[in-house]
Amino acid sequence: MPDDDDSAISATEAKRLFADWKTAPAIVLAVSGGPDSVALMWLMARWRRALARGPRLVVVTVDHGLRAASAREASDVKRLARSLGLPHHTLRWRGAKPKTGVPAAARAERYRLLAKAAQDHGATHILTAHTRDDQAETLLMRLLRGSGIAGLAAMARQSPRHGVVLARPLLQVPKARLVATLRKAKIGFADDPSNRDMHFTRPRLRALMPALAAEGGDPRNLPRNLARLAARLARADAAVEVLADGAERYLALKERAASRVGPPARIFDFAAFAAVPEEIRIRLLQRAIDRFGHEGPAELGKVEALLSGLERAGAKKPGNRPPKLKQTLAGAMISMAAGQIRIEPAPPRRRRD
């Protein structure tokens, strides 16, 4: 795709952008009414009309009920979708809203509702309109939070979510090109004021972009370079995952050789585990904790602290007492005894009256 930040996206370019989903039975398009998602809907409608056979497109708008204008914006999306020959459904976030962490809670509910819509309509994929600009902001947010390699890889082009595949075909497309596409087609779009609300992290980072971009000369270089960095980190992350797969298979041989008593668990021979690189050890611990725990994904910092504890315990001279360790993390019980690390489901927490 040409790297022209100001040109409309052609039908030929759109054909390449959406080629991966040509054989899907049905696709849910997540359309809020903003320029990015409206451009995605318009481009996909044009792409689909050019196909003799292709997926059914279903447009879904999630109304979070957080702004007075959201209902009108959903209605505008419905009107445009119907003019394009696409079915439209508005889903609402009902119930009490949290007083803090609203963006994260709204995002989680949005994906839950979109996944339910996909399942209801026999869709295998949900397509969102995340752009290169969004990718750059995501990388900066995660960098400031101290994320590891996997987190700094930012958003993936495709990833599983709630039993369907979440796809982002526009990750390498600048937002400016989507706006140019709509202007050329004479299609209007909504302006969400929350995108400029400095109470939220993304708008604050967005406001910093011009100053950061000035360090590199051309302001358009910063999102491009950050997105390129995210892609390179994703490539590195994929390579490390392959190494972690190999280490997991190797340690599984040791596990089968060990005595297995009690409920299902992951057992690592400590000496063999300690011999693999630190990044691989962290990933193996994360995988096992996420598999056997019942309190959500384990935080990277806590897994790193756990690894340090295991290493300290393993470094102690056993004498008459072999090194031991026992703790819980993310709903998993991690213990070390007799030269083995054991990870299994933790017992339920006791309720306090």
Side-chain angles (χ1 to χ4, degrees), residues 219-338:
R220 293 179 297 186
N221 283 341
L222 181 61
R224 180 186 305 136
N225 290 342
L226 289 174
R228 183 182 294 124
L229 174 59
R232 288 169 174 167
L233 288 166
R235 188 173 64 205
D237 181 59
V240 176
E241 280 291 283
V242 171
L243 295 176
D245 290 341
E248 194 166 37
R249 287 192 293 270
Y250 166 70
L251 291 170
L253 296 174
K254 297 282 186 178
E255 179 182 341
R256 284 195 290 270
S259 58
R260 299 285 301 274
V261 180
R266 174 55 48 85
I267 299 173
F268 296 133
D269 176 83
F270 179 76
F273 177 81
V276 303
E278 182 178 8
E279 177 67 21
I280 304 300
R281 280 177 274 157
I282 289 170
R283 292 182 184 230
L284 294 177
L285 286 174
Q286 277 187 310
R287 289 181 181 188
I289 291 168
D290 291 346
R291 176 182 175 186
F292 291 102
H294 49 77
E295 295 179 2
E299 295 179 23
L300 176 59
K302 293 182 179 180
V303 178
E304 289 172 334
L306 169 65
L307 178 61
S308 295
L310 290 168
E311 290 172 342
R312 286 194 300 270
K316 291 180 181 178
K317 294 182 179 180
N320 295 327
R321 299 181 63 185
K324 290 186 177 182
L325 177 144
K326 189 172 186 179
Q327 72 175 75
T328 60
L329 177 58
M333 176 72 74
I334 303 96
S335 58
M336 187 170 79

Side-chain angles (χ1 to χ4, degrees), residues 37-53:
S37 61
V38 168
L40 173 67
M41 176 173 63
W42 187 85
L43 287 166
M44 288 215 74
R46 182 179 65 175
W47 167 75
R48 179 61 186 86
R49 286 195 301 270
L51 297 176
R53 290 184 178 181

Side-chain angles (χ1 to χ4, degrees), residues 12-321:
T12 301
E13 289 175 292
K15 183 178 180 180
R16 289 197 295 269
L17 283 171
F18 306 139
D20 288 350
W21 303 285
K22 182 178 178 179
T23 59
I27 293 171
V28 162
L29 303 180
V31 183
S32 65
D36 304 348
S37 61
V38 168
L40 173 67
M41 176 173 63
W42 187 85
L43 287 166
M44 288 215 74
R46 182 179 65 175
W47 167 75
R48 179 61 186 86
R49 286 195 301 270
L51 297 176
R53 290 184 178 181
R56 289 183 294 108
L57 303 181
V58 180
V59 180
V60 174
T61 302
V62 175
D63 181 359
H64 294 98
L66 298 173
R67 295 182 295 108
S70 62
R72 176 182 55 78
E73 291 166 2
S75 180
D76 290 343
V77 173
K78 180 177 182 178
R79 189 178 305 110
L80 178 57
R82 287 186 171 180
S83 74
L84 295 171
L86 302 177
H88 176 273
H89 302 274
T90 298
L91 304 179
R92 291 177 175 81
W93 183 16
R94 304 192 183 278
K97 310 298 189 295
K99 294 183 179 179
T100 60
V102 173
R107 184 169 56 252
E109 182 66 7
R110 176 177 181 239
Y111 286 128
R112 187 190 71 80
L113 290 170
L114 288 170
K116 184 178 184 305
Q119 292 161 0
D120 290 345
H121 293 280
T124 53
H125 294 74
I126 299 166
L127 264 61
T128 68
H130 291 104
T131 65
R132 189 172 74 184
D133 303 68
D134 297 317
Q135 185 75 311
E137 292 164 7
T138 299
L139 175 61
L140 280 177
M141 288 174 65
R142 294 182 180 180
L143 180 65
L144 293 172
R145 292 171 182 170
S147 295
I149 296 175
L152 293 177
M155 294 181 284
R157 180 171 165 81
Q158 296 197 78
S159 55
R161 182 76 66 98
H162 297 302
V164 294
V165 177
L166 180 64
R168 304 175 178 94
L170 306 178
L171 272 185
Q172 297 302 318
V173 179
K175 181 186 184 75
R177 295 201 66 194
L178 299 179
V179 173
T181 299
L182 294 179
R183 285 176 176 164
K184 183 177 180 180
K186 296 181 171 56
I187 294 174
F189 51 84
D191 176 26
D192 184 351
S194 65
N195 288 328
R196 299 183 298 277
D197 189 339
M198 293 302 168
H199 289 94
F200 302 131
T201 303
R202 278 189 184 273
R204 291 197 299 271
L205 286 176
R206 204 169 292 139
L208 288 173
M209 285 287 191
L212 293 173
E215 296 299 321
D218 186 344
R220 293 179 297 186
N221 283 341
L222 181 61
R224 180 186 305 136
N225 290 342
L226 289 174
R228 183 182 294 124
L229 174 59
R232 288 169 174 167
L233 288 166
R235 188 173 64 205
D237 181 59
V240 176
E241 280 291 283
V242 171
L243 295 176
D245 290 341
E248 194 166 37
R249 287 192 293 270
Y250 166 70
L251 291 170
L253 296 174
K254 297 282 186 178
E255 179 182 341
R256 284 195 290 270
S259 58
R260 299 285 301 274
V261 180
R266 174 55 48 85
I267 299 173
F268 296 133
D269 176 83
F270 179 76
F273 177 81
V276 303
E278 182 178 8
E279 177 67 21
I280 304 300
R281 280 177 274 157
I282 289 170
R283 292 182 184 230
L284 294 177
L285 286 174
Q286 277 187 310
R287 289 181 181 188
I289 291 168
D290 291 346
R291 176 182 175 186
F292 291 102
H294 49 77
E295 295 179 2
E299 295 179 23
L300 176 59
K302 293 182 179 180
V303 178
E304 289 172 334
L306 169 65
L307 178 61
S308 295
L310 290 168
E311 290 172 342
R312 286 194 300 270
K316 291 180 181 178
K317 294 182 179 180
N320 295 327
R321 299 181 63 185

